[in-house]
Amino acid sequence: MARILVTGASGQLGREIEVVSKNYFGYEFSFTDINELDITDPEKVKTSVRDFRPDWIINCAAYNFVEKAENEPEKAMLINGNAVRNIASAIRESECKFIHISSDYVFNGSSSRPYSETDLTDPLSAYGKSKLAGEKYALEFYGTMIIRTSWLYSAFGENFLKTILKKAADNNELKVVFDQTGTPTYAADLAEAILFIVAGVIRNQLAFNTGIYHYSNEGVCSWYDFAVEIVREAGIDCMIRPVLSEEFPSSVTRPSYSVLNKSKIKENYDLVIPHWRKSLKKCIEIIQK
C-alpha cells in the first residue's frame, strides 16, 4: 500500500486533494497541517518521515500572504524556502517521491508569450523570491517534481473568487484591474491532476519524470475578465469596471503577465486540462449549494 503524506492540508489545494483522495482506494493518506507537522522544524519533519515512511510527499504548505511578505520576508522564506529544504533533507536517503507546489511569481511578468519551464526566473517580490528559493531546495532531492501554478482559487479558504462574490453581493459596482494577465487555476483540477499522476506512476502506467512543470487551467484572462465572469456565473447584478493597477497602490510589484505554458505536463503525463470558464462555473455551483 502506497503511503502519501500531504502537508498544508488545511489550505485550498490540500483540502481539495483530501476531497479527491476519496476516489483513490488502496492508498494510505496522511493529511497534516502545522498542528500535526510543522515543516519549519527539521527534527519534526525527520520524525514524521521516519514514523510514517511515505512513498510520496505532496507539499501544499506555503506562506501565501503576498503583501505581508514584503514586511516579513524572513517568515516567508522560512516557510516557502527553508521548510522545503527540511523536507528534501529528511527524505534524501529514501526512495520517496516529492511533489512541491510553486508559483508564477518566480517570473517578472515581462514576457509576451506563455512562460515555459526553462525561461529565466526573476521574482519581483519577497513572496516570489521565497518561492524560488523553495524550488532550488526541492531540486536538491533527486526525486522531485515541482508544479508551478497561478491564480489559485477554490470553494475552500480565502481567494479572489470568494472575495468578488462577497463584495459584489454588497455593492452595485466594483473596480478590478485589467492590466494584469494570467490564468485562474481551480484547485480541484490541480488536485485531480496531482493524484492522477501519483496513481499512474504507482500503477506503472506513467513514468515519474522529475523536474519543473507548469499547471493552470486553459485560456487567458485579466483579473477584470475573471471578475466579470464570476458575477455573471453567480447571477449577481454588479457592474465590474476595468481600472489600471496604479489605482490600487501596493507595496508589491506583481507580474503583469503570468500565463504559463502547460505543454510539458500535458505531454509527459497525458493530462487534459479544463478551460478556466468551465472550472469556474463548477466551483461557483459548489459554493452556491
Side-chain angles (χ1 to χ4, degrees):
M1 178 187 291
R3 296 183 178 91
I4 303 167
L5 172 63
V6 181
T7 64
S10 67
Q12 295 182 83
L13 181 57
R15 293 182 72 178
E16 293 287 8
I17 290 176
E18 187 165 9
V19 171
V20 175
S21 72
K22 304 294 191 294
N23 299 323
Y24 287 83
F25 305 101
Y27 307 124
E28 183 180 352
F29 286 89
S30 176
F31 291 94
T32 67
D33 209 85
I34 189 168
N35 293 329
E36 297 81 27
L37 174 58
D38 180 358
I39 62 171
T40 66
D41 186 327
E43 291 307 314
K44 288 182 179 177
V45 175
K46 288 178 184 176
T47 300
S48 183
V49 167
R50 185 194 65 215
D51 293 347
F52 185 62
R53 291 177 291 117
D55 300 294
W56 293 78
I57 295 179
I58 305 171
N59 183 34
C60 303
Y63 178 102
N64 288 326
F65 305 107
V66 177
E67 296 264 355
K68 286 177 66 178
E70 295 302 310
N71 295 320
E72 46 185 34
E74 297 86 1
K75 187 172 183 179
M77 188 63 72
L78 176 65
I79 298 170
N80 294 340
N82 297 349
V84 182
R85 179 171 54 186
N86 294 340
I87 296 172
S89 177
I91 58 177
R92 192 175 309 281
E93 304 301 324
S94 75
E95 296 297 316
C96 183
K97 295 176 176 62
F98 183 28
I99 297 179
H100 173 64
I101 309 303
S102 191
S103 168
D104 59 307
Y105 272 66
V106 299
F107 297 114
N108 64 20
S110 64
S111 180
S112 58
R113 58 168 179 77
Y115 280 101
S116 72
E117 292 82 355
T118 56
D119 284 330
L120 292 176
T121 54
D122 180 26
L124 302 174
S125 62
Y127 168 75
K129 291 172 183 175
S130 70
K131 294 300 289 184
L132 182 58
E135 290 188 6
K136 292 177 180 177
Y137 288 136
L139 289 172
E140 290 179 358
F141 177 63
Y142 72 96
T144 293
M145 176 184 186
I146 291 171
I147 302 178
R148 292 175 180 148
T149 191
S150 63
W151 297 20
L152 201 67
Y153 71 92
S154 165
F156 299 113
E158 299 300 320
N159 50 65
F160 181 80
L161 163 62
K162 293 175 80 172
T163 297
I164 292 296
L165 287 174
K166 184 178 186 303
K167 289 187 175 182
D170 296 334
N171 296 275
N172 296 323
E173 179 180 312
L174 294 177
K175 294 179 179 180
V176 181
V177 299
F178 74 93
D179 56 351
Q180 293 177 23
T181 305
T183 308
T185 305
Y186 183 25
D189 290 338
L190 179 52
E192 288 273 10
I194 290 170
L195 291 191
F196 175 83
I197 291 168
V198 170
V201 173
I202 291 171
R203 295 168 184 163
N204 293 317
Q205 296 169 333
L206 295 170
F208 186 62
N209 296 313
T210 58
I212 301 173
Y213 292 83
H214 289 169
Y215 184 99
S216 65
N217 282 112
E218 298 284 20
V220 178
C221 67
S222 68
W223 288 111
Y224 162 76
D225 299 321
F226 191 24
V228 168
E229 196 69 9
I230 289 169
V231 298
R232 189 188 71 80
E233 281 291 350
I236 301 173
D237 185 15
C238 177
M239 173 66 71
I240 308 295
R241 297 199 179 277
V243 297
L244 293 168
S245 298
E246 62 194 35
E247 288 207 29
F248 295 97
S250 171
S251 59
V252 180
T253 303
R254 291 174 165 82
S256 59
Y257 181 89
S258 58
V259 180
L260 301 175
N261 182 334
K262 299 171 285 287
S263 299
K264 182 180 175 183
I265 200 167
K266 289 191 288 187
E267 292 168 3
N268 273 261
Y269 292 108
D270 198 26
L271 289 179
V272 177
I273 302 177
H275 192 277
W276 69 265
R277 284 192 176 91
K278 181 179 180 181
S279 294
L280 173 64
K281 181 177 182 178
K282 186 186 299 184
C283 186
I284 288 177
E285 287 174 352
I286 291 171
I287 291 172
Q288 290 182 331
K289 286 179 182 178

